[in-house]
Amino acid sequence: MIVEETHPALAELIESGKQRGFITYEELNTSLPDEMVDPDKMDEFLARLDGMKIRLIESDMIVITPGRPAVSRSSAAATAARAAAMG
């Protein structure tokens, strides 16, 4: 059974990760159910995140701009580079 199917907090975390393209280690640690301490289950979950293109980042890697959704620093840099290239 897929862990996030039995744990609503993980399902919410995944949905947030899909929208933003990332989740933070802090968000993951606070959402993890006790049974995820098992290394095999954790590896499975991390592989699922990777398969969904959800990156796991440090909280200090988030860029917050008022009125816009939070993005990771690498996403913000990529957006700025595209804007500069378009002139």
Side-chain angles (χ1 to χ4, degrees), residues 2 4 10 18 23 27 29 32 36-37 47-48 50 52 54 62 65 68-69 82:
I2 299 170
E4 62 269 19
L10 287 180
K18 285 179 182 178
I23 59 174
E27 290 170 328
N29 287 335
L32 282 178
M36 286 292 291
V37 176
R48 289 185 52 75
D50 189 51
M52 291 183 258
I54 299 173
I62 297 173
T65 304
R68 302 187 81 182
R82 280 193 301 274

Side-chain angles (χ1 to χ4, degrees), residues 4 7-23 27 45 49 52 54:
E4 62 269 19
H7 294 283
L10 287 180
E12 289 176 23
L13 184 64
I14 288 172
E15 188 57 37
S16 174
K18 285 179 182 178
Q19 292 173 7
R20 299 182 301 171
F22 67 90
I23 59 174
E27 290 170 328
F45 184 71
L49 290 179
M52 291 183 258
I54 299 173

Side-chain angles (χ1 to χ4, degrees), residues 22 55 57 59-63 71-79:
F22 67 90
R55 291 176 293 131
I57 66 170
S59 297
D60 63 354
M61 295 296 295
I62 297 173
V63 174
V71 296
S72 69
R73 289 190 190 280
S74 60
S75 295
T79 300

Side-chain angles (χ1 to χ4, degrees), residues 3 6-7 9-10 28-39 41-42:
V3 177
T6 59
H7 294 283
L10 287 180
L28 180 60
N29 287 335
T30 46
S31 298
L32 282 178
D34 292 338
E35 59 267 20
M36 286 292 291
V37 176
D38 179 284
K41 287 184 180 181
M42 185 60 148

